[in-house]
Amino acid sequence: MLNKKIVLDTNCLLASISRSGNAYPVWKGFQNGQYTLCVTNEILAEYEEMIAQMASVEVATNVIRMMMNSRYVEFIDTYYHWNLITADPDDNKFVDCAFAAGATYIVSDDSHFNVLRDITFPKLLVLRLKEFMKVLQSEEKNRK
């Protein structure tokens, strides 16, 4: 998946950063450059807030610092707000980032993103975390 861009919903990020979690291969895939993680300042702020709540401020600081210094992160400025998710407007930051970045996927297990399946423009592909893990595993096998 080299050169593929994704936007990772916060809950999926939280599930992937734990070494003991089933989704850890997603975090390792990021660190190994299997994909480019697209973020905005607003997304990074939410990541930091939620990691601090779930783990600690120190862990949050380290994760965000690593992201900010990674060559596999693309910082995106969004200039248009699509407001496509009405059930939870806070999720729109991920949609706007994905569109502005030309992302291949939004990775989310949040059912609010299901509305995107019925929207023809902008067309954004949403994968569940397990589906994305299968994509990473498949591409890893193909590289060997």
Side-chain angles (χ1 to χ4, degrees):
M1 180 177 299
L2 290 174
N3 300 321
K4 300 280 181 161
K5 298 179 181 183
I6 71 147
V7 174
L8 194 58
D9 187 20
T10 304
N11 289 327
C12 293
L13 172 74
L14 291 171
S16 73
I17 60 175
S18 172
R19 288 181 194 260
S20 61
N22 292 336
Y24 188 65
V26 172
W27 182 250
K28 286 305 288 182
F30 161 65
Q31 291 178 319
N32 294 332
Q34 284 185 269
Y35 61 88
T36 297
L37 180 63
C38 299
V39 297
T40 63
N41 288 336
E42 190 178 8
I43 290 171
L44 280 178
E46 181 172 305
Y47 285 174
E48 185 172 28
E49 176 186 350
M50 296 308 296
I51 295 168
Q53 285 179 17
M54 300 302 290
S56 70
V57 171
E58 182 180 0
V59 170
T61 300
N62 289 337
V63 168
I64 298 303
R65 183 177 297 135
M66 192 283 282
M67 285 182 178
M68 293 184 72
N69 292 315
S70 174
R71 62 183 169 157
Y72 305 118
V73 169
E74 185 174 330
F75 295 92
I76 305 298
D77 290 319
T78 57
Y79 297 101
Y80 187 80
H81 302 288
W82 290 92
N83 298 315
L84 298 176
I85 300 177
T86 57
D88 187 358
D90 194 44
D91 288 335
N92 282 306
K93 66 179 155 283
F94 300 101
V95 174
D96 297 339
C97 179
F99 180 77
T104 308
Y105 308 117
I106 297 174
V107 179
S108 177
D109 287 337
D110 187 335
S111 63
H112 295 134
F113 287 85
N114 292 345
V115 69
L116 299 177
R117 292 184 181 136
D118 300 326
I119 295 173
T120 57
F121 186 83
K123 191 64 182 164
L124 299 167
L125 187 60
V126 179
L127 290 183
R128 298 223 174 270
L129 186 57
K130 285 185 179 183
E131 294 171 323
F132 184 61
M133 288 173 54
K134 287 179 184 177
V135 169
L136 289 176
Q137 290 169 349
S138 172
E139 292 183 355
E140 183 66 25
K141 286 178 186 175
N142 290 338
R143 288 187 357 194
K144 290 182 180 180

